[in-house]
Amino acid sequence: QVQLVESGGGLVQAGGSLRLSCAASGSISSFSVDAMGWYRQPPEKQRELVATITSGGVAGIADSVNGRFTISRDNTKNTVYLQMDSLKPEDSAVYYCHAQLHYGLREYNYWGQGTQVTVAS
């Protein structure tokens, strides 16, 4: 099995910064780790994509956070990061890490447990 463990959430004032980390562990060496990314779910809203990054480092960022958030990854550590700057109250949400893995021709999607980000105005 593979586990995704997130860290770095918390409470911050508007305009502040946080850095989220997500490390894949377990039987990860048996898989090919493809895209990794971050989603978020504000209270009483649907989960939405924030940012993704391929194993080759190609990143995609949602328009709502473009220019403020940066996604990166360390393939040697199977870890993905989300640097969040100029945070706004509307960024408050539970942030979930996602990883797309392949074992042969089979695709597997894993999720972290979520980490709370609260931005105070």
Side-chain angles (χ1 to χ4, degrees), residues 7-25:
S7 61
L11 173 64
V12 65
Q13 293 293 316
S17 298
L18 284 173
R19 189 189 194 212
L20 305 182
S21 299
C22 172
S25 62

PDB file of all heavy atoms in Angstrom, residues 7-25:
ATOM      1  N   SER A   7       1.684  17.742   5.418  1.00  0.00           N
ATOM      2  CA  SER A   7       2.046  18.573   6.561  1.00  0.00           C
ATOM      3  C   SER A   7       2.141  20.014   6.107  1.00  0.00           C
ATOM      4  O   SER A   7       2.230  20.290   4.900  1.00  0.00           O
ATOM      5  CB  SER A   7       3.370  18.115   7.168  1.00  0.00           C
ATOM      6  OG  SER A   7       4.412  18.213   6.214  1.00  0.00           O
ATOM      7  N   GLY A   8       2.115  20.932   7.070  1.00  0.00           N
ATOM      8  CA  GLY A   8       2.347  22.332   6.769  1.00  0.00           C
ATOM      9  C   GLY A   8       1.137  23.231   6.833  1.00  0.00           C
ATOM     10  O   GLY A   8       1.261  24.452   6.672  1.00  0.00           O
ATOM     11  N   GLY A   9      -0.029  22.692   7.060  1.00  0.00           N
ATOM     12  CA  GLY A   9      -1.206  23.544   7.168  1.00  0.00           C
ATOM     13  C   GLY A   9      -1.213  24.308   8.479  1.00  0.00           C
ATOM     14  O   GLY A   9      -0.354  24.124   9.338  1.00  0.00           O
ATOM     15  N   GLY A  10      -2.194  25.193   8.614  1.00  0.00           N
ATOM     16  CA  GLY A  10      -2.306  25.946   9.847  1.00  0.00           C
ATOM     17  C   GLY A  10      -3.086  27.223   9.656  1.00  0.00           C
ATOM     18  O   GLY A  10      -3.778  27.410   8.649  1.00  0.00           O
ATOM     19  N   LEU A  11      -2.946  28.104  10.632  1.00  0.00           N
ATOM     20  CA  LEU A  11      -3.630  29.389  10.642  1.00  0.00           C
ATOM     21  C   LEU A  11      -2.631  30.491  10.302  1.00  0.00           C
ATOM     22  O   LEU A  11      -1.538  30.542  10.876  1.00  0.00           O
ATOM     23  CB  LEU A  11      -4.244  29.651  12.017  1.00  0.00           C
ATOM     24  CG  LEU A  11      -4.856  31.027  12.267  1.00  0.00           C
ATOM     25  CD1 LEU A  11      -6.051  31.263  11.358  1.00  0.00           C
ATOM     26  CD2 LEU A  11      -5.236  31.169  13.728  1.00  0.00           C
ATOM     27  N   VAL A  12      -3.009  31.358   9.381  1.00  0.00           N
ATOM     28  CA  VAL A  12      -2.122  32.446   8.968  1.00  0.00           C
ATOM     29  C   VAL A  12      -2.966  33.679   8.685  1.00  0.00           C
ATOM     30  O   VAL A  12      -4.146  33.574   8.333  1.00  0.00           O
ATOM     31  CB  VAL A  12      -1.309  32.024   7.723  1.00  0.00           C
ATOM     32  CG1 VAL A  12      -2.215  31.798   6.518  1.00  0.00           C
ATOM     33  CG2 VAL A  12      -0.205  33.010   7.404  1.00  0.00           C
ATOM     34  N   GLN A  13      -2.366  34.838   8.856  1.00  0.00           N
ATOM     35  CA  GLN A  13      -3.053  36.089   8.545  1.00  0.00           C
ATOM     36  C   GLN A  13      -3.060  36.314   7.035  1.00  0.00           C
ATOM     37  O   GLN A  13      -2.165  35.845   6.309  1.00  0.00           O
ATOM     38  CB  GLN A  13      -2.350  37.254   9.224  1.00  0.00           C
ATOM     39  CG  GLN A  13      -2.445  37.247  10.743  1.00  0.00           C
ATOM     40  CD  GLN A  13      -3.858  37.467  11.239  1.00  0.00           C
ATOM     41  OE1 GLN A  13      -4.581  38.332  10.732  1.00  0.00           O
ATOM     42  NE2 GLN A  13      -4.267  36.689  12.225  1.00  0.00           N
ATOM     43  N   ALA A  14      -4.058  37.026   6.568  1.00  0.00           N
ATOM     44  CA  ALA A  14      -4.125  37.372   5.154  1.00  0.00           C
ATOM     45  C   ALA A  14      -2.834  38.075   4.733  1.00  0.00           C
ATOM     46  O   ALA A  14      -2.309  38.916   5.467  1.00  0.00           O
ATOM     47  CB  ALA A  14      -5.328  38.268   4.887  1.00  0.00           C
ATOM     48  N   GLY A  15      -2.339  37.683   3.564  1.00  0.00           N
ATOM     49  CA  GLY A  15      -1.083  38.216   3.077  1.00  0.00           C
ATOM     50  C   GLY A  15       0.119  37.377   3.462  1.00  0.00           C
ATOM     51  O   GLY A  15       1.225  37.589   2.943  1.00  0.00           O
ATOM     52  N   GLY A  16      -0.095  36.426   4.343  1.00  0.00           N
ATOM     53  CA  GLY A  16       0.990  35.569   4.802  1.00  0.00           C
ATOM     54  C   GLY A  16       1.256  34.408   3.871  1.00  0.00           C
ATOM     55  O   GLY A  16       0.663  34.300   2.784  1.00  0.00           O
ATOM     56  N   SER A  17       2.137  33.520   4.310  1.00  0.00           N
ATOM     57  CA  SER A  17       2.564  32.386   3.491  1.00  0.00           C
ATOM     58  C   SER A  17       2.527  31.091   4.301  1.00  0.00           C
ATOM     59  O   SER A  17       2.701  31.103   5.520  1.00  0.00           O
ATOM     60  CB  SER A  17       3.994  32.598   2.982  1.00  0.00           C
ATOM     61  OG  SER A  17       4.082  33.735   2.152  1.00  0.00           O
ATOM     62  N   LEU A  18       2.320  30.012   3.574  1.00  0.00           N
ATOM     63  CA  LEU A  18       2.438  28.671   4.131  1.00  0.00           C
ATOM     64  C   LEU A  18       3.044  27.774   3.068  1.00  0.00           C
ATOM     65  O   LEU A  18       2.871  28.019   1.860  1.00  0.00           O
ATOM     66  CB  LEU A  18       1.074  28.104   4.538  1.00  0.00           C
ATOM     67  CG  LEU A  18       0.419  28.608   5.811  1.00  0.00           C
ATOM     68  CD1 LEU A  18      -0.991  28.040   5.927  1.00  0.00           C
ATOM     69  CD2 LEU A  18       1.239  28.250   7.034  1.00  0.00           C
ATOM     70  N   ARG A  19       3.695  26.727   3.513  1.00  0.00           N
ATOM     71  CA  ARG A  19       4.236  25.737   2.590  1.00  0.00           C
ATOM     72  C   ARG A  19       3.729  24.360   2.988  1.00  0.00           C
ATOM     73  O   ARG A  19       3.994  23.895   4.100  1.00  0.00           O
ATOM     74  CB  ARG A  19       5.764  25.742   2.606  1.00  0.00           C
ATOM     75  CG  ARG A  19       6.376  24.870   1.505  1.00  0.00           C
ATOM     76  CD  ARG A  19       7.861  24.728   1.709  1.00  0.00           C
ATOM     77  NE  ARG A  19       8.535  24.194   0.517  1.00  0.00           N
ATOM     78  CZ  ARG A  19       9.610  23.424   0.559  1.00  0.00           C
ATOM     79  NH1 ARG A  19      10.137  23.105   1.737  1.00  0.00           N
ATOM     80  NH2 ARG A  19      10.167  22.977  -0.551  1.00  0.00           N
ATOM     81  N   LEU A  20       3.001  23.742   2.077  1.00  0.00           N
ATOM     82  CA  LEU A  20       2.502  22.395   2.299  1.00  0.00           C
ATOM     83  C   LEU A  20       3.459  21.376   1.697  1.00  0.00           C
ATOM     84  O   LEU A  20       4.040  21.619   0.640  1.00  0.00           O
ATOM     85  CB  LEU A  20       1.120  22.217   1.680  1.00  0.00           C
ATOM     86  CG  LEU A  20       0.029  23.198   2.098  1.00  0.00           C
ATOM     87  CD1 LEU A  20      -1.289  22.827   1.419  1.00  0.00           C
ATOM     88  CD2 LEU A  20      -0.123  23.252   3.588  1.00  0.00           C
ATOM     89  N   SER A  21       3.580  20.251   2.385  1.00  0.00           N
ATOM     90  CA  SER A  21       4.387  19.144   1.877  1.00  0.00           C
ATOM     91  C   SER A  21       3.551  17.875   1.876  1.00  0.00           C
ATOM     92  O   SER A  21       2.669  17.703   2.714  1.00  0.00           O
ATOM     93  CB  SER A  21       5.619  18.922   2.758  1.00  0.00           C
ATOM     94  OG  SER A  21       6.451  20.054   2.781  1.00  0.00           O
ATOM     95  N   CYS A  22       3.851  17.002   0.947  1.00  0.00           N
ATOM     96  CA  CYS A  22       3.163  15.716   0.869  1.00  0.00           C
ATOM     97  C   CYS A  22       4.171  14.664   0.438  1.00  0.00           C
ATOM     98  O   CYS A  22       4.707  14.745  -0.669  1.00  0.00           O
ATOM     99  CB  CYS A  22       2.007  15.785  -0.109  1.00  0.00           C
ATOM    100  SG  CYS A  22       1.240  14.180  -0.453  1.00  0.00           S
ATOM    101  N   ALA A  23       4.391  13.708   1.301  1.00  0.00           N
ATOM    102  CA  ALA A  23       5.358  12.654   1.019  1.00  0.00           C
ATOM    103  C   ALA A  23       4.645  11.326   0.811  1.00  0.00           C
ATOM    104  O   ALA A  23       3.798  10.934   1.621  1.00  0.00           O
ATOM    105  CB  ALA A  23       6.354  12.543   2.166  1.00  0.00           C
ATOM    106  N   ALA A  24       5.011  10.657  -0.255  1.00  0.00           N
ATOM    107  CA  ALA A  24       4.467   9.321  -0.526  1.00  0.00           C
ATOM    108  C   ALA A  24       5.385   8.280   0.098  1.00  0.00           C
ATOM    109  O   ALA A  24       6.599   8.350  -0.040  1.00  0.00           O
ATOM    110  CB  ALA A  24       4.367   9.096  -2.028  1.00  0.00           C
ATOM    111  N   SER A  25       4.769   7.334   0.788  1.00  0.00           N
ATOM    112  CA  SER A  25       5.564   6.292   1.437  1.00  0.00           C
ATOM    113  C   SER A  25       4.845   4.954   1.306  1.00  0.00           C
ATOM    114  O   SER A  25       3.782   4.849   0.726  1.00  0.00           O
ATOM    115  CB  SER A  25       5.775   6.643   2.905  1.00  0.00           C
ATOM    116  OG  SER A  25       4.528   6.704   3.586  1.00  0.00           O
TER     117      SER A  25
END
